[in-house]
Amino acid sequence: QVQLVESGGGLVQAGGSLRLSCTASGPIFNNYIMAWFRQAPGKGREFVAAIRRPGIITYYADSVKGRFTVSRDNAKNTVYLQMNSLKPEETAVYYCAADATTRPGYSGNFGDYEIWGQGTQVTVSS
């Protein structure tokens, strides 16, 4: 199966921005739904955003709407998560995931995703 590798995490001040990247080992994503999740210490894995084709349809958790943008570059086999106006409570390990299951929309449940990256740490300082 395809392998996913996240990058772009790091330390940022509150109100700042980061762009995370998720690069797939394969040349194309086919019909996979690609998503971002995050997990803060002591908390469960939380859905952040997803993107699917056809139609380049995107989905966002209510908490990040208007601040985060998920996109993809098929030529680079890469999915991005642009995060703006970051908050300290959004400090977490951010994971890229792929859902190969055919769905009419998307899933916000981490158990529905079959392929995961190793995660990248995002720390937002106050």
Side-chain angles (χ1 to χ4, degrees):
Q1 62 182 359
V2 66
Q3 293 181 318
L4 305 176
V5 179
E6 302 97 333
S7 63
L11 176 65
V12 64
Q13 294 180 341
S17 300
L18 284 174
R19 188 179 73 164
L20 306 182
S21 299
C22 171
T23 300
S25 61
I28 58 174
F29 286 116
N30 293 326
N31 293 321
Y32 288 176
I33 300 170
M34 304 300 300
W36 290 93
F37 288 77
R38 63 189 178 191
Q39 187 165 20
K43 297 183 179 180
R45 194 162 296 187
E46 176 190 22
F47 172 79
V48 177
I51 185 168
R52 69 173 297 149
R53 299 181 73 183
I56 317 178
I57 301 171
T58 57
Y59 308 90
Y60 297 95
D62 289 341
S63 61
V64 306
K65 287 181 179 178
R67 297 187 297 116
F68 289 14
T69 302
V70 63
S71 61
R72 69 165 70 198
D73 186 336
N74 290 331
K76 297 181 179 179
N77 301 313
T78 300
V79 175
Y80 302 98
L81 183 67
Q82 177 67 46
M83 305 185 294
N84 299 326
S85 302
L86 281 161
K87 305 173 182 179
E89 58 265 34
E90 292 176 315
T91 293
V93 177
Y94 283 69
Y95 297 91
C96 178
D99 178 9
T101 302
T102 300
R103 303 180 188 276
Y106 79 105
S107 174
N109 301 316
F110 70 86
D112 291 328
Y113 289 80
E114 296 83 22
I115 307 169
W116 292 84
Q118 84 289 345
T120 185
Q121 176 70 45
V122 172
T123 302
V124 185
S125 64
S126 59

